[in-house]
Amino acid sequence: MVETDVLVIGGGPAGVLSALTSAKNGKRVLLIDAKMYEEIGNKICGDALNLEPTTFLEEKLGIEKPHGDEVADLVERLIFKTSNAEFPLKGDGYVLNRHPYGQRLLKQAEEYGVEVRSKTKAVRAISENGIVKGAIVREKRKNEYEIRAKVTIDCSGRNFQIRRTLSEDEFPYLEKKMEKRDVAASYREIIRLKEDHPYHNEIYLMYHKEIPEPGYFWIFSKGEKRLNVGIGWFLDMEVERGMKDHFWEVLHYYYPPGTYEVEDKGGYTIPTRYPMTNAVANGFITAGDAAFHVNPLSAEGHGPALIAGYYAGKAASEAIDTNDISEKSLWQYNVDVMQHFGLSHTKVQLFTEALLKIKIAGLEFLLKRNIFTQEQFLNLHAGSKMGKFEMLKLAIKAFPRYIILFQMKRIANEAAAFEKLFAEYPKTPEQYLAWQKRFQSRMEQIRKR
Ligand SMILES: Cc1cc2nc3c(=O)[nH]c(=O)nc-3n(C[C@H](O)[C@H](O)[C@H](O)COP(=O)(O)OP(=O)(O)OC[C@H]3O[C@@H](n4cnc5c(N)ncnc54)[C@H](O)[C@@H]3O)c2cc1C
C-alpha cells in the first residue's frame, strides 16, 4: 500500500495540470497513467488549442505558452464552411504538436515534486462510508495494489475509470452514465502533401452532405505541406457506411489519392456535452473529458482540460490545508468551472441543439443570405437579447424561412435563461439538488428531438 496527499489518475492535460498545481501548492502528489512514460501527452487529436487557456496558465502558474517544436502552426481564424458558404470567426490559438507540449508539462510537474508512475492503470476506486480514499491500481504484468490518498482526481478521459466505479448509493449526486448522444466518434489522419496548402493560420470546420449532421470534417494546418484532417459525429447518429469511408470520400474531394502520404492515423471517442454540473464528492474531483469538459460543438477539450486541471489541483490542495476533504470543502471547484466555461459550454449546447433542428441547410441559408453579421451571431450565441427593430430586419431577410429565425430567437431566450440560472449556481452543496432539478428540466426540454 502507498499513501499520498493527492492521487491523480491520467497524465493528459487535465491530469498533469491537477498534479502540477497540487504539487506547486506543497502537496505530495502521485500521478499514474496506463501509458509508457514517453507516450504520456501523446493523443490522437485535431491538435487545435485556443490562446486563452495558455494565457490563463501563464498568469496563474507561470507556465510558458506553447513554443518551438510544440507549435505546428499559429491560428488566427476559425471558419465554418458549407459547400456554398463560409463564416469566419476571429480566434487566436495554435495547431500543436501535442506530444512535446504534453511531455514538457509532465516534466514541469515533476520539477515541482510530482511522482509519476507510468504503465500503471487505475482499476477501481477505494471508497469507504461515502468517502473516496484512493484507487486500486495495477502496474503492467504485476499485481494490483492500493494507493491511498486524501483527494483522488479522476482525469482518465473518456473512460472515467474512478467515477464509473463509485456506487450510486454512496455517491448519489455524481452522474454515472455517458449516453450515446453525448459522445462523438472521430477519426483523423495527419497527411503530407506534395505542394503547400492554403490553410495556414486558419482552422476549417466543414459541413458536408456526406457527414451526419451536425458532424463535420476538419482541416487544420500542421505547417508547410502538412495537414491534420479528420471527421466526427455523434454516436447515436445513423450511418450506412463506416466512418473511414465517409472520411476518404470527403478528403478525396480536396486531395485525391496520390496527392498525399499518411504520416499518422487513428480514431477515438470524445464526450461532447455540456459539463457535469457537479464534479466533486468527499475526497474526489473529476476533470477534463472524464467530466464532460469538451466544447459541445467544436469538440475542443484540450483547453478546458488544462483549465479544469488547474482548478482541481487548487481545490484539492486548499481542502487538504484545512484538513477537510469533504464535498463541501471541495465545492469551490464546481463554482470555478461553472464560472469559467460551464455557462459558455452550456450555451454552445443550445446552439448544437438548434443546429440539429435547422440542419446544415438552415445554417447555410443563414450564412449565404448574410442574415446574421458576425457580431449578431456572437451576441446570439452569448445570450444577448435582440431588439424588436433588429428582429424585424432579420425577419425580412429570412423570409420565407421563419422557422430558422424562430430557432435562433429560441437560443437567445434560452441562453439568457441559463445565464440567470448559472448566476444562481449554489455556493455550497446544500442547495445543489434544487438547482440541478431546474437545470435538468430546462435542458431536457431543449434536447427533445
Ligand atoms: C480525434 C480527436 C480529435 C480531437 N481534436 C481536438 C482539437 O483539435 N482540439 C481540442 O482542444 N481537443 C480535441 N480533442 C479532444 C481532446 O483530445 C481532449 O478533450 C483532451 O485530450 C482531454 O484531456 P484529458 O486530460 O481530460 O484526457 P486525455 O487527454 O484523454 O488523457 C487521459 C489520460 O488518462 C490515461 N488513462 C485512461 N484510463 C486510465 C486508467 N484506467 N488508469 C490510468 N490512466 C488512464 C490515458 O492514458 C491518458 O493519458 C480531440 C479528441 C479526439 C479523439
Side-chain angles (χ1 to χ4, degrees):
M1 197 248 284
V2 176
E3 277 185 314
T4 184
D5 290 334
V6 180
L7 169 62
V8 178
I9 317 291
V16 170
L17 260 294
S18 298
L20 186 151
T21 310
S22 308
K24 195 171 184 212
N25 288 342
K27 301 295 157 284
R28 283 179 306 152
V29 185
L30 225 163
L31 180 151
I32 66 161
D33 198 295
K35 292 178 181 168
M36 283 162 51
Y37 181 89
E38 298 72 24
E39 275 303 303
I40 296 177
N42 200 9
K43 183 171 175 182
I44 292 161
C45 185
D47 301 328
L49 177 64
N50 290 333
L51 183 66
E52 190 260 334
T54 65
T55 307
F56 178 80
L57 296 187
E58 195 167 53
E59 284 168 8
K60 296 288 181 192
L61 297 162
I63 295 177
E64 272 186 72
K65 292 196 168 89
H67 54 269
D69 70 351
E70 297 162 3
V71 179
D73 212 344
L74 293 173
V75 175
E76 289 165 10
R77 296 194 308 166
L78 163 72
I79 298 175
F80 291 97
K81 188 177 182 332
T82 68
S83 28
N84 296 311
E86 274 193 18
F87 197 73
L89 294 176
K90 216 184 137 22
D92 290 325
Y94 310 88
V95 178
L96 288 178
N97 294 318
R98 267 190 78 158
H99 196 184
Y101 181 57
Q103 281 276 317
R104 183 202 356 141
L105 296 184
L106 184 70
K107 292 194 166 79
Q108 278 182 274
E110 287 181 292
E111 279 162 24
Y112 283 115
V114 172
E115 183 191 337
V116 178
R117 294 194 177 190
S118 53
K119 293 192 279 182
T120 302
K121 205 170 179 174
V123 180
R124 62 185 176 278
I126 303 171
S127 72
E128 289 164 4
N129 306 319
I131 306 169
V132 178
K133 296 269 175 105
I136 309 284
V137 306
R138 188 189 305 118
E139 205 178 327
K140 210 171 179 186
R141 292 193 201 92
K142 297 203 175 140
N143 287 338
E144 288 184 359
Y145 66 96
E146 280 189 3
I147 301 180
R148 291 203 162 242
K150 292 174 183 160
V151 178
T152 303
I153 310 183
D154 185 358
C155 302
S156 58
R158 65 94 57 228
N159 293 331
F160 57 108
Q161 190 64 30
I162 297 302
R163 178 162 63 87
R164 75 160 69 230
T165 58
L166 293 172
S167 81
E168 198 109 36
D169 294 345
E170 270 189 298
F171 301 93
Y173 294 177
L174 272 183
E175 273 185 71
K176 297 283 296 171
K177 292 195 190 116
M178 201 177 266
E179 293 180 48
K180 263 184 159 183
R181 65 174 178 169
D182 296 332
V183 182
S186 197
Y187 175 78
R188 76 100 173 89
E189 292 184 356
I190 294 178
I191 58 172
R192 178 170 287 281
L193 307 166
K194 292 189 172 141
E195 310 283 329
D196 200 13
H197 54 75
Y199 300 105
H200 293 285
N201 310 125
E202 287 166 345
I203 60 177
Y204 274 82
L205 304 187
M206 293 156 153
Y207 297 96
H208 272 257
K209 62 180 184 331
E210 294 84 358
I211 306 172
E213 302 178 8
Y216 61 78
F217 185 82
W218 74 78
I219 298 188
F220 299 168
S221 165
K222 286 284 275 187
E224 211 189 325
K225 296 188 189 170
R226 286 176 85 227
L227 293 173
N228 181 322
V229 281
I231 198 167
W233 60 73
F234 288 108
L235 275 185
D236 68 340
M237 304 264 156
E238 286 191 10
V239 271
E240 282 168 18
R241 291 179 300 147
M243 182 163 263
K244 285 185 197 166
D245 288 341
H246 285 280
F247 171 80
W248 287 317
E249 187 174 340
V250 182
L251 175 61
H252 294 161
Y253 172 80
Y254 296 97
Y255 292 102
T259 61
Y260 66 88
E261 276 171 29
V262 180
E263 288 186 357
D264 190 31
K265 59 183 174 182
Y268 203 49
T269 52
I270 322 169
T272 311
R273 199 203 70 182
Y274 60 87
M276 280 170 68
T277 50
N278 168 39
V280 306
N282 297 324
F284 178 77
I285 305 180
T286 177
D289 282 15
F292 280 113
H293 286 162
V294 181
N295 179 306
L297 182 65
S298 67
E300 289 167 288
H302 191 164
L306 293 168
I307 291 165
Y310 164 77
Y311 287 128
K314 178 171 168 282
S317 37
E318 285 172 0
I320 292 169
D321 283 340
T322 61
N323 246 334
D324 175 5
I325 50 74
S326 66
E327 175 187 64
K328 189 170 182 174
S329 180
L330 295 168
W331 194 260
Q332 185 58 35
Y333 170 71
N334 281 333
V335 176
D336 288 336
V337 168
M338 289 299 130
Q339 271 172 5
H340 200 123
F341 60 79
L343 173 62
S344 64
H345 281 195
T346 302
K347 285 180 181 173
V348 174
Q349 180 85 46
L350 304 179
F351 188 73
T352 307
E353 298 302 327
L355 208 53
L356 279 161
K357 291 186 178 103
I358 67 168
K359 308 282 179 201
I360 299 310
L363 180 72
E364 196 162 50
F365 176 78
L366 291 175
L367 304 183
K368 236 169 67 183
R369 295 268 291 257
N370 281 328
I371 289 177
F372 288 118
T373 61
Q374 177 157 333
E375 199 186 350
Q376 279 170 328
F377 185 81
L378 288 174
N379 282 346
L380 200 67
H381 198 240
S384 309
K385 285 242 176 206
M386 268 188 199
K388 276 194 182 133
F389 185 60
E390 207 176 352
M391 273 308 287
L392 182 67
K393 278 206 305 198
L394 284 177
I396 293 166
K397 283 208 245 175
F399 175 81
R401 302 186 65 177
Y402 295 121
I403 189 77
I404 296 176
L405 206 63
F406 169 76
Q407 286 297 346
M408 290 298 152
K409 175 88 176 118
R410 190 162 176 224
I411 304 180
N413 290 343
E414 285 300 333
F418 274 101
E419 207 159 280
K420 205 161 158 268
L421 194 61
F422 272 76
E424 293 161 21
Y425 185 83
K427 299 280 180 283
T428 58
E430 291 84 6
Q431 310 303 320
Y432 175 68
L433 266 196
W435 184 91
Q436 203 261 350
K437 258 191 190 153
R438 286 164 64 206
F439 176 93
Q440 211 52 44
S441 71
R442 211 165 193 117
M443 186 54 88
E444 281 313 316
Q445 265 315 103
I446 292 158
R447 299 194 79 190
K448 264 192 200 152
R449 289 176 193 163

